[in-house]
Amino acid sequence: MSFPRYPAYKDSGVEWLGEVPSHWHVTALKREYSVTLGKMLQSDASSPEDVLGPYLRAANIQWSGVDASDIKTMWLSGRDVLQLRLLPGDLLISEGGDVGRSCLWQGELEECYFQNSVNRARPINGGSSRFLYYWMSTIKDKGYVDVLCNKSTIAHFTAEKVAAVPVPIPPKGEQESIAHFLDTETTKIDALVAEQEQLITLLKEKRQAIISHAVTKGLDPSVPMKDSGVEWLGEVPAHWQVRRVKDVTRLESGHTPSKTVPEYWVDCDIPWVSLNDSKYLAANDYITDTAVQINQLGIENSSARLLPAGAVVFTRDATIGLTAITTREMAVSQHLIAWCPTGLMDPLYLLRVFNAMKDHLDSYTFGATIKTIGMGDVKSLMSPVPTLHEQVAIAAFLGKELQALDQLVDEAVLSIELLRERRSALISAAVTGQIDVRGLANFCQAH
């Protein structure tokens, strides 16, 4: 759908903003909205008159609205209560963290205040906070906020910086029309995004189910079954074995050469899988290059070992059980182990077994901050062991099935990206006056 433009435009006086409709004006945010920074956290009462009240911090400020799932309290003076109490329609803007992230306060609590990681913008001339919300969304998307806050250091969107932000100001009724139009259109787009996100969730669940069924039940539904004796496996084909993984592969632990010896970390050309590769391992079945390399001297003076191609590397810290198959010789850090081929297990089939084992692996983990699976538990891991011919056939079957599912996921992800780009572009066009939505907003309201 194409949108009409305004009849006439003028230079906004702001280089990055360009032209705006001729009847709009551009001014500093502080001319239309009062800007107030919240209160520094006060953990104890400083006088008998102080009261304990709920407050918002930057973490509570989300584009989708106030996250009221974790509201904390602090002590407030009588002056704080008068100056910092939130009213419906207040726009809340993150001062720290993800600077510029904004949402409207809609009276989620009967009484609430805000900390000094949040700025409040409140209309002083009857303007629309909702219009300002969409304007903040636009300048955040375009990177203006990040430039203003100098994100090369710890970013702070101070009240002074917020107050100085240039804002295009349509007439008040027009602000409401634009905000209403964007409410309607972004709600439609958000619903489409939610549908695609749900589809991705279902596709990933189906992916996991297909892997689990194939590696534990095989491809022939008519074969007799037996109890595996392993809870997470359940029944397996009667002619399969169930063995410890370490008995059908060679288990190798990893190591890190000393960081205090510079010679171990120069002229490095040996791939070395570490937790720096976790994101890659989560998305790929094979690994050829690594984020960090080591050299031969480092290997010779540590417990690190050069592992063969075809080894299945496996994270045992942080996220447990991220796996990939090496395509060439490489080493692993102490946060990983490797299962090296011995001719009894096809590496790709073994990788799929670990994919299927995800929930089971989670039950082994311990550690309050960094999750870890101990070597004793690693050595006890059990796997179904079909004939090698069946393993290869199962891996090939899954390759085709997963490729089709992954393509559908990729298409859904692309659809979400395009929808979000459209959403951002529509907001930007409306709040900068590049499209005239006044009649469209009235049409939306009527329908």
Side-chain angles (χ1 to χ4, degrees):
M1 179 179 182
S2 59
F3 299 101
R5 284 173 59 80
Y6 284 89
Y9 288 83
K10 66 181 180 183
D11 183 9
S12 67
V14 178
E15 183 178 357
W16 56 268
L17 179 54
E19 290 187 330
V20 296
S22 58
H23 64 290
W24 291 21
H25 70 280
V26 178
T27 188
L29 188 147
K30 65 183 177 182
R31 304 295 182 195
E32 300 288 332
Y33 302 85
S34 64
V35 180
T36 305
L37 179 66
K39 174 184 173 64
M40 184 178 294
L41 180 61
Q42 182 181 333
S43 302
D44 300 300
S46 58
S47 77
E49 289 75 28
D50 285 357
V51 295
L52 197 61
Y55 72 93
L56 301 181
R57 59 200 195 284
N60 300 116
I61 310 305
Q62 303 294 327
W63 287 111
S64 57
V66 171
D67 177 3
S69 63
D70 182 20
I71 303 289
K72 301 185 182 300
T73 58
M74 69 172 163
W75 290 95
L76 303 135
S77 68
R79 182 178 181 184
D80 295 331
V81 170
L82 289 174
Q83 294 184 344
L84 302 179
R85 184 165 183 162
L86 293 172
L87 299 176
D90 285 341
L91 183 68
L92 302 169
I93 305 167
S94 297
E95 191 272 351
D98 183 15
V99 293
R101 189 173 61 208
S102 304
C103 69
L104 284 169
W105 175 252
Q106 296 178 333
E108 286 81 353
L109 299 176
E110 183 177 346
E111 177 185 6
C112 197
Y113 305 88
F114 55 108
Q115 191 195 14
N116 64 342
S117 60
V118 177
N119 290 297
R120 179 189 65 197
R122 177 178 287 172
I124 54 179
N125 294 317
S128 168
S129 296
R130 194 71 180 168
F131 177 85
L132 183 61
Y133 163 81
Y134 285 118
W135 175 246
M136 295 304 302
S137 171
T138 290
I139 65 172
K140 177 67 173 177
D141 283 347
K142 291 183 176 298
Y144 177 80
V145 171
D146 293 339
V147 170
L148 192 63
C149 296
N150 186 16
K151 289 202 75 172
S152 62
T153 60
I154 297 176
H156 289 284
F157 200 17
T158 63
E160 291 75 20
K161 290 177 180 177
V162 173
V165 168
V167 183
I169 305 294
K172 295 178 179 59
E174 200 169 326
Q175 292 179 38
E176 294 292 345
S177 294
I178 292 170
H180 180 77
F181 168 80
L182 290 175
D183 287 346
T184 302
E185 295 303 311
T186 57
T187 296
K188 294 176 185 176
I189 294 173
D190 291 344
L192 294 173
V193 168
E195 288 178 5
Q196 293 300 308
E197 290 175 336
Q198 177 63 17
L199 174 61
I200 290 172
T201 298
L202 294 174
L203 288 169
K204 288 183 175 180
E205 289 175 355
K206 183 175 182 179
R207 187 185 199 277
Q208 185 69 15
I210 289 174
I211 293 173
S212 297
H213 189 273
V215 301
T216 62
K217 312 304 177 192
L219 303 180
D220 183 355
S222 66
V223 298
M225 306 294 284
K226 68 179 180 183
D227 184 8
S228 67
V230 178
E231 184 177 356
W232 79 269
L233 283 175
E235 288 191 331
V236 299
H239 65 287
W240 287 14
Q241 298 181 54
V242 177
R243 302 180 62 181
R244 291 183 298 183
V245 180
K246 81 176 193 66
D247 293 335
V248 288
T249 62
R250 189 179 83 249
L251 175 60
E252 294 277 0
S253 59
H255 197 262
T256 300
S258 174
K259 295 290 183 71
T260 63
V261 182
E263 291 80 6
Y264 298 166
W265 300 95
V266 296
D267 299 325
C268 297
D269 58 359
I270 298 173
W272 182 67
V273 191
S274 67
L275 291 183
N276 293 303
D277 301 299
S278 293
K279 186 175 181 180
Y280 184 87
L281 296 175
N284 295 275
D285 294 335
Y286 294 89
I287 184 166
T288 299
D289 298 308
T290 55
V292 180
Q293 292 78 40
I294 58 176
N295 63 26
Q296 187 62 38
L297 188 63
I299 284 187
E300 292 172 353
N301 289 275
S302 72
S303 299
R305 291 170 58 88
L306 199 57
L307 306 173
V312 179
V313 297
F314 177 107
T315 56
R316 53 182 297 260
D317 291 328
T319 302
I320 311 301
L322 298 178
T323 54
I325 301 167
T326 61
T327 61
R328 56 174 170 153
E329 290 186 329
M330 57 183 68
V332 298
S333 79
Q334 78 272 22
H335 301 292
L336 289 90
I337 54 174
W339 309 89
C340 299
T342 61
L344 298 176
M345 288 287 277
D346 175 70
L348 187 52
Y349 173 79
L350 179 59
L351 179 116
R352 298 303 179 211
V353 170
F354 289 136
N355 292 162
M357 203 185 287
K358 181 182 180 303
D359 291 340
H360 176 64
L361 291 171
D362 289 343
S363 69
Y364 279 109
T365 62
F366 62 89
T369 52
I370 298 180
K371 300 297 184 181
T372 298
I373 181 170
M375 285 301 293
D377 290 328
V378 165
K379 292 177 180 178
S380 73
L381 293 176
M382 304 293 289
S383 172
V385 184
T387 65
L388 197 56
H389 174 76
E390 285 181 280
Q391 293 178 37
V392 173
I394 290 169
F397 165 80
L398 286 174
K400 293 179 181 178
E401 293 292 313
L402 301 185
Q403 182 179 18
L405 287 172
D406 291 344
Q407 183 175 344
L408 291 174
V409 169
D410 290 343
E411 290 172 0
V413 169
L414 178 59
S415 178
I416 289 173
E417 291 175 356
L418 294 174
L419 285 167
R420 287 176 172 162
E421 287 176 6
R422 172 171 170 72
R423 187 184 195 276
S424 178
L426 188 64
I427 293 171
S428 177
V431 298
T432 60
Q434 302 312 300
I435 57 176
D436 182 354
V437 303
R438 290 172 293 181
L440 296 171
N442 292 334
F443 176 83
C444 292
Q445 193 164 13
H447 292 76

